[in-house]
């Protein structure tokens, strides 16, 4: 089976949020789609390994913040590659509470938000598909372009977290034998000495050690100290 065909399916990127005991929980997901128009229902797919999954399974309500292409990389660092079991992902972000459910929403960091209540769910092995009624929806930036998974991969050079339903093990066969590669331990993005990072600061041929001390990962914003040389 050619799994590359699966990469042709379109996805967006979203922050899924819920709350328990007035504490916010959330993570980035890439599977949100509308299933009916009247009443409006959407479906999401969420890994059972995510801490947010545990909370959503208890509360039955969630919020969705639709991310835009202009999203700050710090959003990916916090909600895409860290666990709420270990730290407060929301500490550095401005959040609001949904009027229908009280779930945390992050309208400042996206182009629109939704509040939803789960009406059914389907076990899909590693993930669960939740179908929910949309209780409220707000468009916060009508002129912004929603970020797609294709844009995230091809423009931002981001990688899928292992809990994403679209995750596939990547091979190193396309890495030149004379290249020196450093990997971001936070998000998995790789800095290639042969390619640089696509900016004037790090044109092709720039060694990792020669990058400025304040250089950060272009995907998640992690510092140089978060990178490790790949052998």
């Amino acid at each position: 089976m050619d799994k590359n065909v699966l990469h042709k399916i379109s996805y967006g990127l979203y922050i899924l949020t819920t709350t328990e005991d007035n504490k916010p929980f959330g993570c980035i997901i890439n599977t949100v789609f509308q299933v009916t128009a009247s009443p409006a229902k959407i479906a999401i797919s969420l890994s059972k390994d995510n801490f947010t999954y545990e909370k959503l399974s208890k509360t039955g309500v969630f919020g969705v913040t639709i991310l835009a292409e202009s999203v700050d990389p710090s959003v990916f660092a916090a909600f895409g590659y860290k666990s709420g079991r270990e730290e407060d992902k929301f500490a550095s972000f401005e959040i609001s509470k949904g009027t229908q459910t009280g779930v945390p929403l992050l309208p400042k960091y996206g182009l629109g938000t939704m509040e939803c209540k789960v009406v059914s769910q389907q076990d899909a092995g590693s993930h669960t598909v939740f179908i929910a009624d949309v209780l409220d929806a707000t468009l916060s930036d009508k002129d912004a372009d929603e970020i797609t998974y294709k844009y995230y991969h091809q423009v931002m050079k981001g990688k899928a977290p292992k809990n994403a339903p679209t995750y596939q093990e990547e091979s190193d066969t396309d890495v030149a034998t004379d290249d020196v590669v450093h990997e971001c331990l936070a998000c998995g993005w790789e800095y290639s000495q042969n390619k640089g990072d696509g900016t004037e600061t790090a044109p092709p041929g720039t060694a990792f050690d020669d990058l400025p001390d304040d250089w950060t990962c272009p995907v998640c914003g992690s510092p140089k100290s978060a990178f490790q040389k790949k052998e």
Side-chain angles (χ1 to χ4, degrees):
M1 180 174 67
D2 186 354
K3 292 187 177 181
N4 289 316
V5 173
L6 299 175
H7 290 164
K8 299 304 180 182
I9 300 175
S10 297
Y11 299 89
L13 286 171
Y14 316 87
I15 304 178
L16 174 73
T17 48
T18 191
T19 183
E20 184 183 40
D21 297 330
N22 291 319
K23 294 182 180 180
F25 300 92
C27 63
I28 287 181
I29 62 174
N30 70 343
T31 307
V32 175
F33 59 94
Q34 185 173 351
V35 291
T36 62
S38 182
K41 285 184 171 65
I42 65 170
I44 65 169
S45 177
L46 183 60
S47 170
K48 296 176 183 176
D49 289 336
N50 282 349
F51 194 38
T52 306
Y53 173 85
E54 296 180 21
K55 303 304 179 180
L56 175 55
S57 296
K58 293 180 181 179
T59 66
V61 293
F62 64 87
V64 173
T65 298
I66 305 170
L67 298 178
E69 288 184 353
S70 58
V71 61
D72 190 284
S74 63
V75 171
F76 290 111
F79 295 97
Y81 300 98
K82 296 180 180 179
S83 173
R85 294 185 179 93
E86 302 165 354
E87 57 187 285
D88 180 4
K89 297 181 181 181
F90 294 80
S92 301
F93 298 92
E94 182 180 328
I95 64 175
S96 61
K97 286 188 176 182
T99 59
Q100 303 298 311
T101 63
V103 295
L105 301 170
L106 295 97
K108 184 177 178 180
Y109 309 95
L111 56 83
T113 59
M114 293 181 285
E115 288 183 77
C116 307
K117 181 178 181 180
V118 175
V119 295
S120 65
Q121 61 188 71
Q122 177 65 49
D123 191 319
S126 61
H127 290 63
T128 294
V129 177
F130 295 92
I131 297 177
D133 284 329
V134 178
L135 304 181
D136 194 20
T138 301
L139 187 63
S140 54
D141 189 346
K142 64 181 179 62
D143 297 320
D145 291 324
E146 64 272 23
I147 188 171
T148 64
Y149 219 34
K150 182 178 182 180
Y151 182 94
Y152 174 70
H153 282 293
Q154 296 188 358
V155 178
M156 298 185 70
K157 305 302 182 184
K159 289 188 174 182
K162 290 188 176 181
N163 283 346
T166 55
Y167 175 79
Q168 292 185 21
E169 194 75 37
E170 298 184 17
S171 67
D172 296 326
T173 55
D174 59 343
V175 178
T177 55
D178 63 343
D179 200 0
V180 180
V181 176
H182 288 73
E183 180 181 13
C184 177
L185 299 180
C187 72
W189 183 78
E190 295 179 352
Y191 176 82
S192 159
Q193 178 173 311
N194 287 356
K195 298 177 182 179
D197 68 359
T199 69
E200 294 182 358
T201 301
T206 303
F208 184 81
D209 290 343
D210 292 336
L211 294 172
D213 291 338
D214 61 354
W215 180 88
T216 59
C217 174
V219 171
C220 72
S222 294
K224 286 180 65 177
S225 59
F227 279 74
Q228 178 176 289
K229 183 178 179 181
K230 295 190 69 175
E231 301 298 336

